[in-house]
Amino acid sequence: MKVSLFITCLADIFYSNVGKDTVEVLEKAGCEVHFPENQTCCGQPAYNSGYHKETKEVAKHMIRTFEDSEYVVSPSGSCVSMLHEYKHLFEDDTEWKQRAEKLANKSFELTQFLVDVLKVENLNASLNAKATYHKSCHMTRLLGVKEAPLKLLDNVEGLEMSPLPNSQNCCGFGGTFSVKMVPISEQMVDEKVKHIEETDSEILIGSDCGCLMNIGGRINRQGKPIKVMHIAEVLNSQGEVR
């Protein structure tokens, strides 16, 4: 099965290890991974800020870039949900709406693709640690991906998972929200860190780099002894925490 990797801005610039682990996880699952070099930002920051005209140009570019792909897979539920949003962006343009729908139908978040498309729930990963999982908003509410990450984590040997209190709550990132509404965002992420501490976990696992950057930054500034890992890193682990 041929898969095109949609790396996303944050993974490309700040979390290159997540991109590497995503590729290796997909290869272990039997996929041939390709990387279309023309890909750019999905346009979500502009779209959420109200610049829909500008976003359409980005969307058209991304649609063209992945038009010949069999599947498009990304380590970010938030960015994949934006690819699915394109069809609404072109509501009044029949041609581009149809092309956008084709992209949406073959675009998946990593864990969603592994569990729902490949029917893979065990990647023979191992990680000796106690962890909890943060459910990101866009991934769970817009894509509807809720159980796939947990199924995969349940099969990681040595990993002891603890439920995160109020896991449905936003971490306060929300893209431009964290920039425009700083005091509110700070209170939200502080509450999230508090709940993570209540689980007595060594590791916080998530599926979106934006959430992990926000929560991890707060954990770091507060000097908490909690490591933050993307689920791709966990699924590609063998033994101890890297």
Side-chain angles (χ1 to χ4, degrees):
M1 185 176 290
K2 294 182 179 180
V3 171
S4 293
L5 174 65
F6 168 33
I7 190 59
T8 79
C9 300
L10 290 181
D12 182 38
I13 299 170
F14 297 107
Y15 298 100
S16 59
N17 55 311
V18 171
K20 173 179 174 291
D21 286 314
T22 297
V23 171
E24 293 183 357
V25 164
L26 287 170
E27 289 178 341
K28 286 178 182 178
C31 297
E32 180 182 335
V33 184
H34 298 268
F35 182 76
E37 295 184 6
N38 288 333
Q39 62 183 279
T40 61
C41 173
C42 63
Q44 185 173 174
Y47 182 72
N48 290 344
S49 298
Y51 294 98
H52 291 190
K53 180 181 177 181
E54 291 80 0
T55 306
K56 284 183 178 181
E57 295 307 309
V58 177
K60 287 180 179 179
H61 175 76
M62 289 291 279
I63 291 170
R64 292 190 195 100
T65 298
F66 291 103
E67 202 135 39
D68 295 328
S69 299
E70 184 176 344
Y71 289 99
V72 179
V73 178
S74 175
S76 168
S78 177
C79 295
V80 171
S81 71
M82 185 61 205
L83 299 186
H84 285 235
E85 191 67 24
Y86 288 171
K87 58 180 179 287
H88 301 299
L89 190 63
F90 293 111
E91 195 65 50
D92 299 325
D93 189 326
T94 303
E95 178 194 350
W96 281 102
K97 181 180 180 180
Q98 290 177 346
R99 293 171 74 173
E101 287 175 341
K102 288 180 180 178
L103 176 60
N105 291 338
K106 63 183 180 183
S107 298
F108 300 89
E109 180 272 333
L110 174 62
T111 66
Q112 177 189 32
F113 183 72
L114 290 169
V115 174
D116 296 341
V117 179
L118 297 182
K119 307 302 180 184
V120 172
E121 295 185 10
N122 191 338
L123 288 153
N124 297 316
S126 62
L127 187 62
N128 300 315
K130 184 175 181 181
T132 191
Y133 178 77
H134 165 67
K135 299 177 180 179
S136 58
C137 298
H138 282 186
M139 185 163 155
T140 55
R141 299 171 189 176
L142 299 183
L143 277 186
V145 180
K146 301 176 182 179
E147 300 303 321
L150 300 178
K151 288 180 180 179
L152 289 161
L153 292 173
D154 281 345
N155 286 307
V156 176
E157 184 179 353
L159 187 64
E160 180 184 346
M161 294 296 299
S162 298
L164 181 62
N166 294 334
S167 62
Q168 74 281 358
N169 287 0
C170 175
C171 71
F173 179 61
T176 55
F177 173 82
S178 62
V179 178
K180 295 178 179 179
M181 305 289 184
V182 176
I184 299 175
S185 176
E186 285 183 351
Q187 291 183 44
M188 293 172 74
V189 73
D190 280 344
E191 181 180 64
K192 181 63 67 173
V193 173
K194 173 178 173 291
H195 291 315
I196 293 168
E197 285 189 292
E198 289 173 2
T199 69
D200 196 31
S201 295
E202 304 167 69
I203 302 173
L204 169 70
I205 302 171
S207 299
D208 268 296
C209 291
C211 299
L212 294 179
M213 176 180 286
N214 190 48
I215 301 170
R218 200 61 173 171
I219 287 174
N220 184 58
R221 285 191 291 275
Q222 293 180 354
K224 308 291 185 183
I226 303 170
K227 183 177 177 62
V228 173
M229 294 182 72
H230 189 279
I231 193 167
E233 298 176 284
V234 176
L235 297 177
N236 200 33
S237 293
Q238 291 296 323
E240 302 300 324
V241 178
R242 286 179 285 173

